[in-house]
Amino acid sequence: MNRAHPHGDTTKQLAPLADTDSLSPIDDHRMAGGEDTTGRAEPQYRCRDLIRLAEPTHRHHRQIALLAFAAGFFVRPFGALVFGRIGDLVGRKYTFLVTIVIMGSSTALVGMLPSYASIGVAAPIMLITLRLLQGLALGGEYGGAATYVAEHAPPGRRGFYTSWIQTTATFGLFLSLVVILLCRIGFGDQFETKGWRVPFLVSLLLLAISVYIRLQLKESPAFLDLKAQGQLSKAPLTEAFARWPNLKLVILALFGATAGQAVVWYGGQFYALFFLEKILQLDSKAANLIIAAGLLIGTPFFVVWGSVSDRIGRKTVVLAGCVLAAITYFPVFKGLTHYANPGLEAAVASNPVSVVADPADCSFQFDPIGKKTFRRSCDVAKSALAKAGVPYSNEDAPAGAVARLRIGTGAQAVYVDSFAGNTRPAADFKTASEDFGKRLKAALVAAGYPPKADMSRVQYPMVIALCAYLVFLVTMVYGPIAAWLVEMFPTRIRYSSMSLPYHIGNGWFGGFLPVTSFAIVAATGGIYNGLWYPVIVASVTAVIGFLFLRETKGVSLT
């Protein structure tokens, strides 16, 4: 009696990255490179769309395609170094003109890639190359846009002006969700074969518009003044990162500002969607529409909080958002369970599930590129439960014992034995997994666990309200962050200095939030335990930012 994940077998342990058929646009955001500061909606697409380029019947090639998820995040800080240096040497305008061309071209080329069937392993290699280019370009894109706008903004309005940049990431996500839904409706069954390419190809039009607009722009007056005075930095990376006073400020900006901002940003939008769709098992279309509604309601507050920060300060607003997230994340996500899947909430209360296993048989299932296979009996059992959205507790079994699941309590409890997959060949493992899945599914259904959320019982107004609140927190931490970072550093090394902490925070701390949180859920059994990652990071940021970072509102950028 087993309940396997409906979209794949239990060998794929990290749902956010490894379960290629179960991914939603929450995960696909990473594939597009993350936040875009141009106002363009980067295409949001499913990993399985790209895995077609890598031939899904070949596990090795699937791993290459999955590597594309991590590639874009990993290189973002390096893009910050490369283009940050150019921006401080040559100028803001021309640097982020180059980055938008690289970003837009790489995105469009994904839609033109031939399949594995056409050109073999060159297809996934080309895909990863394009993802690396996207990540590098984005590493230079944000710092250029933020610096350029801030250095043009009138005194006392810097938070308001730069907050418009911040709206583009969330509004771009909203538009991309709409584009995906329209393409699915328009192409029907053909979306899986060719319709998924359309959003990428459409980005060529958006790229042309962006390039035209940027060509009309003038260079930042602060940069031109510095250039006229002959005071441009000749070695911006050395000044920014090899001299302790500025390096110290970069480190403090990372841990006292951007790390917490990043986990709240990703947690409030992408992990919320993952939680609704994969943990609470809501219908994919409904989950996306709920998040889209929350984004639509919350997005205007980016500008509100940016403007507020011009009056009361950037530090106050950003750190308040981190504190509120740390305090309210657990009750908000529990509220999502209550209003979105009350059947799951009732089943957990009446028939709790326990994993009885040898602790040595249990791994911490963290694998951001989907390469590892976790086949020990404890791992198989925990993975199946985590992917099904079923919380569980852990109990120790004697050393060497095969893991088993207990559903319910007392004499009425039902036991489902797992199996030691690490001792079986691949073919036998697949058969055993299917059998385990059937046995577990039957046992869970008998105990009242819904295979999917009952959509007729979803209280949409409350779920949307909670999601809008999460986006509201996103706007608090993200609306003023550009102005705060720009004002921390001197003009001659501003582009380099602010870009690195931003992209380490958002590319690494934030970008890997879904996979990290899922690994925590799989290890501990609590469907809310993955929230400890953003809660702890946001709390640390609030403390460090409060103690060591200064308020910058009103400082001169010259």
Side-chain angles (χ1 to χ4, degrees):
M1 292 182 292
N2 189 309
R3 174 188 176 83
H5 191 271
H7 301 292
D9 62 55
T10 54
T11 66
K12 293 174 287 196
Q13 303 297 317
L14 258 304
L17 296 181
D19 189 349
T20 61
D21 284 339
S22 67
L23 293 172
S24 68
I26 173 180
D27 314 296
D28 307 331
H29 166 80
R30 260 65 57 206
M31 298 298 293
E35 309 90 61
D36 184 17
T37 60
T38 65
R40 302 185 307 126
E42 289 291 346
Q44 311 294 310
Y45 48 97
R46 296 177 183 268
C47 178
R48 63 167 173 253
D49 298 329
L50 297 179
I51 289 203
R52 291 188 192 89
L53 303 173
E55 185 57 46
T57 59
H58 293 72
R59 174 173 170 78
H60 177 64
H61 300 146
R62 176 181 296 178
Q63 292 168 358
I64 295 176
L66 291 170
L67 181 62
F69 274 95
F73 283 123
F74 181 74
V75 300
R76 281 173 59 169
F78 299 99
L81 293 175
V82 171
F83 291 107
R85 177 179 180 274
I86 296 173
D88 284 326
L89 287 172
V90 178
R92 287 64 160 120
K93 171 187 173 179
Y94 293 105
T95 302
F96 72 78
L97 181 61
V98 172
T99 59
I100 192 60
V101 171
I102 297 175
M103 169 67 78
S105 301
S106 302
T107 301
L109 286 172
V110 171
M112 304 176 190
L113 282 179
S115 67
Y116 179 88
S118 301
I119 62 171
V121 73
I125 291 175
M126 291 169 64
L127 170 63
I128 292 175
T129 301
L130 293 176
R131 282 291 296 136
L132 291 171
L133 289 173
Q134 283 182 326
L136 285 170
L138 184 58
E141 172 72 14
Y142 181 83
T147 301
Y148 183 87
V149 172
E151 290 177 349
H152 273 89
R157 300 285 282 167
R158 207 172 291 137
F160 173 75
Y161 274 63
T162 57
S163 66
W164 286 98
I165 302 174
Q166 312 305 90
T167 66
T168 62
T170 296
F171 190 61
L173 171 62
F174 169 78
L175 290 179
S176 66
L177 294 176
V178 173
V179 169
I180 288 292
L181 290 173
L182 290 177
C183 286
R184 285 191 171 276
I185 294 172
F187 284 93
D189 294 339
Q190 291 185 328
F191 179 84
E192 300 294 331
T193 56
K194 61 181 181 181
W196 66 271
R197 296 178 180 268
V198 172
F200 296 97
L201 300 176
V202 170
S203 70
L204 279 174
L205 175 61
L206 300 178
L207 172 61
I209 295 172
S210 296
V211 170
Y212 173 78
I213 292 174
R214 294 191 182 198
L215 286 172
Q216 313 308 310
L217 300 178
K218 296 181 180 180
E219 183 55 83
S220 155
F223 181 85
L224 291 176
D225 288 347
L226 210 62
K227 184 178 180 180
Q229 298 169 19
Q231 295 182 359
L232 293 178
S233 173
K234 294 181 173 58
L237 296 186
T238 299
E239 285 191 42
F241 309 117
R243 297 178 182 174
W244 176 242
N246 199 77
L247 176 60
K248 177 183 176 182
L249 189 55
V250 169
I251 295 171
L252 290 175
L254 170 61
F255 292 102
T258 61
Q261 166 261 304
V263 296
V264 175
W265 197 86
Y266 279 84
Q269 298 173 113
F270 305 110
Y271 191 70
L273 179 54
F274 171 78
F275 189 82
L276 289 174
E277 190 175 359
K278 304 306 170 195
I279 301 297
L280 300 185
Q281 302 287 310
L282 264 68
D283 172 74
S284 177
K285 182 179 179 180
N288 281 287
L289 289 174
I290 288 170
I291 293 297
L295 294 174
L296 191 61
I297 294 170
T299 296
F301 286 94
F302 283 110
V303 179
V304 172
W305 287 115
S307 182
V308 169
S309 76
D310 284 328
R311 296 193 292 273
I312 67 173
R314 327 318 182 180
K315 175 178 175 178
T316 301
V317 176
V318 173
L319 298 188
C322 288
V323 171
L324 282 175
I327 293 172
T328 62
Y329 258 25
F330 280 99
V332 167
F333 278 82
K334 289 179 180 178
L336 288 176
T337 302
H338 178 75
Y339 293 113
N341 194 344
L344 173 63
E345 186 180 46
V348 171
S350 59
N351 289 299
V353 177
S354 298
V355 176
V356 185
D358 174 8
D361 199 40
C362 304
S363 306
F364 184 68
Q365 301 178 43
F366 179 79
D367 180 22
I369 63 173
K371 186 176 181 180
K372 296 180 181 178
T373 300
F374 301 93
R375 294 190 172 188
R376 293 185 291 187
S377 63
C378 177
D379 297 334
V380 170
K382 287 187 174 184
S383 175
L385 291 171
K387 290 179 181 179
V390 176
Y392 56 87
S393 59
N394 294 287
E395 293 184 17
D396 292 348
V402 174
R404 62 188 329 209
L405 305 179
R406 186 178 66 238
I407 304 173
T409 58
Q412 304 300 318
V414 174
Y415 289 85
V416 181
D417 293 329
S418 184
F419 66 97
N422 55 317
T423 63
R424 300 174 182 238
D428 290 349
F429 178 79
K430 181 178 180 181
T431 301
S433 294
E434 292 173 351
D435 175 67
F436 175 67
K438 292 175 183 177
R439 291 185 287 115
L440 180 56
K441 179 177 181 180
L444 289 171
V445 171
Y449 284 87
K452 288 284 186 180
D454 183 349
M455 301 308 296
S456 66
R457 299 183 65 189
V458 176
Q459 298 186 40
Y460 288 98
M462 289 303 301
V463 176
I464 291 173
L466 290 173
C467 289
Y469 169 76
L470 292 174
V471 177
F472 178 80
L473 295 180
V474 169
T475 64
M476 286 189 71
V477 300
Y478 200 55
I481 196 70
W484 198 14
L485 290 174
V486 166
E487 293 166 345
M488 285 185 192
F489 301 102
T491 304
R492 57 188 285 117
I493 54 173
R494 178 171 294 132
Y495 201 142
S496 303
S497 297
M498 71 158 290
S499 294
L500 188 63
Y502 177 84
H503 285 292
I504 292 178
N506 286 272
W508 294 359
F509 281 87
F512 291 112
L513 183 150
V515 69
T516 303
S517 293
F518 183 85
I520 294 171
V521 170
T524 62
I527 61 174
Y528 307 111
N529 287 348
L531 297 172
W532 281 114
Y533 174 68
V535 164
I536 290 173
V537 173
S539 299
V540 170
T541 289
V543 173
I544 293 176
F546 177 77
L547 293 177
F548 300 107
L549 286 179
R550 65 188 176 95
E551 176 54 61
T552 61
K553 175 181 71 73
V555 303
S556 172
L557 295 188
T558 58

